[in-house]
């Protein structure tokens, strides 16, 4: 029997370990922290009993993941829950752009822009499961659905500022712009529509669900499958030297490229080491977790029922904020993602006290305190909000990097979404998971297909390792 060591227990590390184990490899996962999960951890950050997701919170791509869906994770405790409204984006006049799983209902709510919304997203969302077969693998492959991929790729390749011209109303433009901003990219950049198009299609295909009991339920379910196939997990095991893992037949790192280069040292081919050290990280995140009495008093009713609320104002305001953070400047009004996961999963709350999950987009390594800017943005659309805050937990970009070393400078998606790195990551290679050392691979969010709790990076890396073992 071959043996493998996987370094890191984020969703990609665990997915890689599961795929190796269910193909007969003896797998050990080494996790530096005392708790598994990487970006899919859940903690009581404010008040005992209130469950806050530490990082990843809403999971449309995980719900549609071909690999996760092959594991029957429901048997291992994973249950997806959907809010009544998937996403709302409030504006100053009290209106909001609103997205729900039904594209027809979404289009109706967008009024005169509904037909254009259907035109851009209708066909791709209707066949999104087929599209995922081509989107969740390395860019260099023989497409299974070339025509559908091309139809998706044309709008996805456009700058978000160009694609936004498809809509006339501020509600539709802001709704699209907020989803596009998940890429942490300037909205004028080529391919800055790609993440937004994928997430909108995923919403209309699967919804934007949360995991019952918190995102830790994803990692707990994967760990359960791994143990079912004989794998083991050791926590509190930080790996700093290749000598600690080098005897295994297969070694896979769920780490950022520079960390892999540091551990591998001179064993790494020079060209690979240069690529890993040149790999670019993107802007950072500033995280607030709040315990809020009675929830957020949004002016717009749809926001009160939405699992996710994008707080930024108009498309033009989003574009300004994202341009500033990419230039290293802190916006006066940052783009916020606000998670109200308790609306779908009441088990996260304690009576009328609810956990609120907030990320602000900030420059890489931002050392200031964005708390007042964040609270001011929410108060703008929810007067009286501050009065409802019972407890606050703050994580700066440095705190996020300390929480997960892959989040360099607070970069929670482990890599800048530049046009080059969207297509080619972490380096130009036929097998992007190979490190150039026999039997050694990388499977973090720095590899295709990028960030998310879908586990496909880990699955793809495991398939590469299994092919080379055979």
């Amino acid at each position: 029997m071959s043996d493998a060591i996987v370094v890191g227990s984020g969703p990609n590390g665990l997915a890689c370990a599961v795929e190796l184990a269910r193909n007969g490899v003896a797998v050990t996962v080494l996790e530096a922290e005392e708790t598994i999960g990487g970006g899919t951890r859940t903690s009581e950050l404010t008040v005992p009993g209130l469950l806050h997701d530490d990082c990843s919170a809403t999971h449309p791509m995980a719900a549609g993941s071909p690999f996760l869906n092959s594991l029957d994770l429901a048997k291992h405790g994973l249950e997806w829950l959907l809010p009544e409204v998937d996403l709302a984006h409030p504006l100053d006049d009290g209106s909001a752009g609103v997205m729900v799983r039904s594209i027809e209902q979404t289009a109706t709510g967008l009024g005169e822009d509904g037909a254009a919304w259907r035109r851009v997203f209708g066909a791709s969302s209707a066949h999104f499961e087929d599209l995922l077969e081509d989107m969740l693998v390395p860019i260099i492959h023989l497409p299974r659905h070339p025509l559908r991929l091309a139809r998706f790729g044309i709008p996805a390749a456009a700058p978000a500022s160009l694609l936004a011209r498809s809509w006339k109303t501020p509600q539709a433009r802001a709704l699209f712009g907020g989803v596009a901003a998940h890429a942490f990219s300037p909205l004028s950049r080529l391919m800055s529509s790609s993440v937004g198009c994928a997430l909108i299609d995923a919403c209309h295909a699967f919804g934007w669900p949360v995991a019952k009991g918190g995102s830790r339920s994803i990692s707990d379910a994967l760990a359960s499958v791994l143990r079912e196939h004989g794998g083991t997990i050791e926590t509190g095991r930080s790996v700093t030297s290749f000598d600690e893992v080098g005897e295994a037949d297969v070694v896979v790192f769920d780490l950022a490229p520079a960390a892999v280069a540091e551990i591998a040292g001179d064993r790494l081919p020079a060209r690979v080491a240069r690529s890993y050290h040149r790999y670019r990280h993107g802007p950072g995140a500033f995280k607030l977790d709040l315990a809020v009495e009675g929830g957020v008093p949004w002016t717009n009713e749809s926001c009160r029922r939405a699992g996710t609320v994008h707080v930024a104002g108009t498309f033009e305001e989003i574009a300004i904020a994202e341009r500033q953070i990419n230039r290293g400047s802190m916006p006066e009004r940052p783009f916020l993602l606000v998670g109200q996961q308790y609306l779908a999963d009441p088990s996260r709350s304690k009576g009328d006290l609810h956990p609120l999950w907030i990320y602000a987009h900030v420059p890489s390594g931002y050392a200031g305190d964005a708390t007042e800017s964040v609270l001011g943005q929410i108060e703008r659309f929810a007067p009286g909000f501050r009065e409802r805050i019972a407890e606050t937990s703050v994580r700066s970009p440095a705190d996020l990097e300390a929480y997960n070393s892959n989040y360099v400078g607070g970069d929670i998606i482990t890599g800048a979404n530049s046009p080059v790195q969207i297509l080619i990551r972490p380096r130009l290679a036929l097998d992007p998971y190979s490190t150039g050392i026999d039997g050694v691979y990388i499977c973090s969010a720095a590899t295709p297909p990028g960030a998310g709790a879908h586990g496909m990076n880990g699955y793809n890396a495991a398939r590469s390792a299994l092919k080379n073992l055979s």
Side-chain angles (χ1 to χ4, degrees), residues 31-233:
E31 169 55 52
E33 303 299 326
E34 295 301 327
T35 306
I36 66 168
T40 51
R41 282 180 268 176
T42 303
S43 305
E44 297 180 8
L45 298 175
T46 56
V47 173
L50 260 63
L51 300 180
H52 297 266
D53 288 326
D54 286 276
C55 182
S56 183
T58 305
H59 306 288
M61 300 299 284
S65 168
F67 173 65
L68 296 189
N69 287 334
S70 74
L71 300 177
D72 194 9
L73 293 179
K75 288 174 51 180
H76 298 267
L78 179 61
E79 182 180 352
W80 297 119
L81 300 174
L82 285 166
E84 183 180 354
V85 173
D86 293 276
L87 169 66
H89 189 122
L91 296 176
D92 288 310
D93 64 0
S95 67
V98 178
M99 185 169 67
V100 296
R101 183 171 181 177
S102 166
I103 193 168
E104 291 302 324
Q105 188 177 340
T106 301
T108 299
L110 293 175
E112 64 178 296
D113 276 328
W117 191 270
R118 281 193 298 266
R119 185 171 63 251
V120 175
F121 302 116
S124 52
S125 63
H127 301 284
F128 199 59
E129 288 190 59
D130 291 338
L131 272 171
L132 287 179
E133 295 179 11
D134 287 318
M135 292 171 58
L136 297 181
V137 295
I139 191 68
I140 302 175
H141 73 282
L142 184 65
R144 296 186 181 185
H145 308 281
L147 294 180
R148 287 174 182 163
L149 185 63
R151 185 166 183 175
F152 169 84
I154 291 171
S161 56
L162 179 61
L163 188 57
R165 296 179 189 175
S166 303
W167 302 285
K168 298 176 182 178
T169 64
Q171 292 80 14
R173 287 168 54 80
L175 183 63
F176 167 71
V179 187
H182 281 240
F184 283 81
S185 174
L187 300 189
S188 58
R189 179 182 283 172
L190 281 172
M191 301 196 72
S192 56
S193 294
S194 59
V195 170
C197 287
L199 290 175
I200 290 170
D201 283 340
C203 178
H204 293 316
F206 315 116
W208 277 17
V210 301
K212 184 177 182 180
S215 293
R216 67 185 179 193
S217 298
I218 301 171
S219 45
D220 287 347
L222 286 169
S224 176
V225 176
L226 176 62
R227 294 185 178 106
E228 185 176 74
H229 287 88
T232 61
I233 301 173

Side-chain angles (χ1 to χ4, degrees), residues 12 254-255 279 406 412-415 425 443-452 457:
N12 285 312
D254 184 7
L255 300 175
Y279 183 80
N406 288 356
I412 58 173
I413 59 174
T414 316
R425 58 195 303 157
C443 75
S444 67
T447 65
N457 315 53

